[in-house]
Structures are given as structure tokens and as C-alpha cells.
Amino acid sequence: MKPGHLDLDFCLQSGQVFRWRKIGSGWVGVEGDHAFHIRQPDATRLEVETSASREQVESFFRLDWDADEVAGRILEKGPELSPYFGELRGLRVMRPSNPVETFFCFLCTANNNLSRIGPMCWKLGSYGEEIGEIEGILLHKFPSVSGIAQIPEAELREAGFGYRGATIPHAAMQVLERGANWIQSLIEMPYAEAHAALVEVKGIGPKLADCICLFALDKSEAVPLDTHIWQAFTRLYHPEWKGKAVTASRYREATQTFRERFGDVAGWAHQYLFYENLLNWRSR
DNA sequence: CGGTAG
DNA sequence: ACCGG
């Protein structure tokens, strides 16, 4: 397999997918219905142990997109982002295949930090069907929406979910009211329509809706605007809003600016900005 | 603080 | 204001 430019650590550690564990130099996790053990012996090779097909692996890492070409296109349209692209060659926007998993994992991310999000997503995953064991790690498919809806609030609170112990099963109930297949049905909608439908769910605001659009629904123009992206936006494009709070209307304005500038690679531009900020923050 | 609701 | 660091 020729991964083009793909950095496993960047892809699996950059807040896009959460149920992956680093084991030595490799990674163990679940994608869709399949367990994976992946190693990257050098920059140009990928060793993948899985029952998933090659097509599924390539889709997950979005190898149908040329990362260098995308980065080039972003820098052409927005040279002001070049400081953020320094060391991030091989960072890709992933395409996880189970939108239900992405939906609920991102529900864990609001008002939270990465060190807690992983264990929380892992806990949700433990309610799904067991599909294997790699390096002593038990792997589960992600549970169904009704499986999530049935989890007692107390179990999640005990596991450190805080108020999300209530909001996550409640969000699952809301999804069920819309039909068991509602999340999947959003894939067929245009970005704006899917985003509008998602924020109707209590617990999903504009930022989470954009995460779900970008990673679960393959809407590459979605720009999840968190506090770091907001700061970058005010610094680069709108200094008079520096220090101001992100209102709903400023959220629309800022994300629309990225979309007008970067079009269908706006989501990739966001991912580089986001991960660069995350690395800077980690190194402090 | 990788937000959202009231 | 909200769980928990």
C-alpha cells in the first residue's frame, strides 16, 4: 500500500477519532465492524492487520485525497496559514465509517479535554459487541443508538461522565424519535441542511454539528469552530472581534469566511489550524 | 478548558 | 451553570 503522505500519530491523535490506543510504535483500534492493528515502519509504508478490506482502510484514511495536493491548494488560497503547516505533513482528515460512533463520541468532547475524552469514548464502546482482542486489549463495535439510549445515567456518572451521563442517553432518545436510521440519513443531505438538522438535537450545538458533518457525514466544507479556531480567525481575518465571545451569528460569519476562502478543503484547513494549536498547547 | 442550554 | 482536571 502506498499511503501517500500519512502520519499515523497525527491522524489518530488529533481529535478526529477516539477509540484508538497506541501500543509501542503501532496502534490498536476499531473502525466500523473491524478490529485493526496498524504499524508504520517507515514514512512510505503501512502495515495493517485487519479483517477489513483494502478499500475500507483507504477510505478510513481518505487515501483517495492527495494530502500534499490539498495542503498546496489551502496555502495557495490562504498563504497566511503557512505558519500552521510546518511540521504537520501527513495529517489527514479521516473518514470513519460509523456515523453513530462519531455522533456520540463528539458528544463526549464538549466542554472537555482530550485526556478525558478517550476513556469516555472507550467506555461507550464497551457497551457494543465484542469483536476481538489485540495485545490484550478487548475491542468492541460501537453500540447502536438504542444501546446508548439504554445506558443508565448512574453508570456513566460513575465512569466520570459528569452531566454528560444524562445528556448522552438523552440525545440517543432524541435520535430514536427521529427514526433508528436518522443519523445515517443525514449523509444524503447537503451540508447546510445536515448541520441545521443536527443542532435541533438538544446537546448538539453548532460546533459539535460541524464535527459530525466533517468526520461522520463527509462534508468537507464543515469548519468546527472551537475557541482556538475562533482566536485564529480573529487574529487572521477579523481583529476587531479579538477577545469577543462567539455568538451564534459570529459563529456563522467566521465559519462562512473559511468556507468562502477554502471551499471544499475548509475542513482540512481547520484540522491543520486545530492540531497546530493543540500541539502548542500540549508543549506548554 | 476541543460547548451548550436556559 | 455544568462534571472534573
Side-chain angles (χ1 to χ4, degrees), chain A residues 62 65 93-95 184-195 198 209-224 259 263-268:
Chain A
R62 205 182 283 268
W65 287 41
V93 171
M94 310 287 284
R95 191 193 280 132
Q184 286 84 346
S185 75
L186 301 175
I187 294 173
E188 311 305 326
M189 296 182 188
Y191 161 69
E193 222 172 291
H195 189 273
L198 282 165
D210 272 319
C211 291
I212 295 163
C213 282
L214 179 61
F215 301 119
L217 307 180
D218 211 2
K219 310 300 180 204
S220 61
E221 69 271 52
V223 176
R259 263 188 291 287
D264 69 341
V265 291
W268 279 65

Side-chain angles (χ1 to χ4, degrees), chain A residues 70-266:
Chain A
V70 171
R73 204 150 25 114
I74 291 169
L75 290 179
E76 195 177 316
K77 294 172 176 177
E80 66 278 9
L81 296 194
S82 57
Y84 300 93
F85 279 65
E87 308 297 317
L88 299 186
R89 193 175 196 204
L91 173 61
R92 305 177 139 269
V93 171
M94 310 287 284
R95 191 193 280 132
S97 66
N98 181 356
V100 170
E101 170 165 357
T102 302
F103 181 98
F104 288 102
C105 287
F106 273 98
L107 223 28
C108 296
T109 68
N111 193 16
N112 207 351
N113 53 62
L114 232 28
S115 62
R116 288 183 64 209
I117 294 166
M120 287 167 68
C121 294
W122 202 271
K123 170 74 177 173
L124 291 182
S126 73
Y127 290 92
E129 181 191 336
E130 193 180 315
I131 53 171
E133 179 176 348
I134 299 176
E135 301 281 324
I137 300 173
L138 283 178
L139 298 169
H140 298 252
K141 285 201 244 187
F142 201 80
S144 65
V145 179
S146 58
I148 298 283
Q150 286 164 21
I151 303 173
E153 174 181 347
E155 275 183 36
L156 294 180
R157 283 192 177 267
E158 281 161 31
F161 277 60
Y163 63 88
R164 301 179 196 84
T167 57
I168 289 173
H170 183 241
M173 288 300 300
Q174 293 178 67
V175 170
L176 288 178
E177 287 165 11
R178 291 159 166 81
N181 233 30
W182 180 73
I183 297 177
Q184 286 84 346
S185 75
L186 301 175
I187 294 173
E188 311 305 326
M189 296 182 188
Y191 161 69
E193 222 172 291
H195 189 273
L198 282 165
V199 297
E200 292 296 310
V201 178
K202 246 103 74 194
I204 306 276
K207 192 270 183 182
L208 294 192
D210 272 319
C211 291
I212 295 163
C213 282
L214 179 61
F215 301 119
L217 307 180
D218 211 2
K219 310 300 180 204
S220 61
E221 69 271 52
V223 176
L225 190 84
D226 67 12
T227 73
H228 300 297
I229 306 294
W230 169 248
Q231 283 169 22
F233 166 76
T234 60
R235 191 167 59 244
L236 294 171
Y237 303 118
H238 211 127
E240 45 295 23
W241 280 354
K242 187 176 160 64
K244 301 249 188 221
V246 188
T247 62
S249 109
R250 288 182 192 138
Y251 188 100
R252 281 193 301 275
E253 173 84 24
T255 54
Q256 191 55 32
T257 298
F258 282 109
R259 263 188 291 287
E260 281 164 6
R261 202 159 178 78
F262 298 105
D264 69 341
V265 291

